Amino acid sequence: MPVKVKEIAALAAANLGREDLQRQAETLAGKPEGELASLLRCYNLVENEIALDYYPLKREESFLPVSGRIAYTRFSRAPVRIISAKDRDGKPLSFTVYADGLELSPPAAQAAVTYAYAPAEKAWEDDSEFSGIISARLLSFGVACEFCLSRGQFSEAALWEKRYRDALRAAGYPRGGLRVRSRRWA
């Protein structure tokens, strides 16, 4: 179930021990201003970072290519990486990525394209793009870190950065290999 951006901002304010800011976030009706606008900006930065660097947001859409090409303007979201293309029978298609779209080889009458996309900038009442493994708690750690950085609170930002990175790692990124500790013989 998607979580609202304002709920994540309120959680970040609570993490920072800012009960005043938390109450404002929970009761605001309308456009945020001041520190709440800063929390919203921080949320958008964190969501974008997670989507582009750690857990890509993926979508599949069907297209009717024109002369074997599909323009990026036809996608419902802004693609950042094309993952795969298949014909209507599910067979993989080769493709070449260009600045304005992609070209299928061989040309197909219909193609299903799977791609990673950048999240749109969110407003205060919008739903987060993430749910499940990327929890509201994880997002709030990143928002708290960015908020502290924007305020020049570098030692607090370092603390929240560590919690944020640890939460990302716990969510499964990056998956490192198993290590065996060295043994000492007496």
Side-chain angles (χ1 to χ4, degrees):
M1 184 158 143
V3 179
K4 298 276 186 203
V5 170
K6 68 180 183 178
E7 294 169 4
I8 295 166
L11 186 55
N15 290 343
L16 293 168
R18 295 283 310 272
E19 289 82 18
D20 60 322
L21 195 56
Q22 180 186 3
R23 279 192 299 279
Q24 288 176 15
E26 291 171 342
T27 60
L28 177 71
K31 188 176 179 183
E33 295 178 357
E35 290 183 314
L36 293 179
S38 182
L39 280 173
L40 176 61
R41 184 184 58 76
C42 292
Y43 171 81
N44 281 311
L45 289 170
V46 169
E47 184 180 61
N48 200 46
E49 176 188 9
I50 292 172
L52 297 180
D53 297 341
Y54 300 102
Y55 292 95
L57 296 168
K58 296 177 185 173
R59 186 175 188 92
E60 183 176 302
E61 292 185 57
S62 292
F63 297 98
L64 299 173
V66 177
S67 301
R69 290 184 64 97
I70 303 170
Y72 291 139
T73 56
R74 295 180 56 201
F75 287 72
S76 64
R77 304 288 179 120
V80 291
R81 186 171 54 92
I82 305 299
I83 298 168
S84 69
K86 298 177 183 172
D87 65 13
R88 73 170 57 145
D89 297 326
K91 294 178 186 167
L93 294 170
S94 296
F95 57 90
T96 305
V97 176
Y98 293 101
D100 61 341
L102 66 132
E103 185 174 309
L104 302 173
S105 176
Q110 184 175 354
V113 179
T114 303
Y115 62 98
Y117 64 92
E121 191 167 307
K122 302 292 182 294
W124 193 247
E125 294 286 336
D126 289 345
D127 289 334
S128 171
E129 291 278 344
F130 293 104
S131 62
I133 197 161
I134 304 298
S135 65
R137 179 176 174 266
L138 188 156
L139 288 163
S140 74
F141 289 168
V143 173
C145 173
E146 289 293 332
F147 187 77
C148 288
L149 281 174
S150 71
R151 298 283 181 258
Q153 300 167 329
F154 301 115
S155 60
E156 280 189 54
L159 170 82
W160 289 110
E161 173 83 10
K162 180 176 179 347
R163 289 181 180 172
Y164 172 58
R165 299 292 171 205
D166 288 347
L168 279 172
R169 224 177 337 280
Y173 182 87
R175 294 198 187 272
L178 295 176
R179 292 186 202 137
V180 177
R181 291 183 178 203
S182 64
R183 306 233 183 244
R184 295 180 190 232
W185 302 97

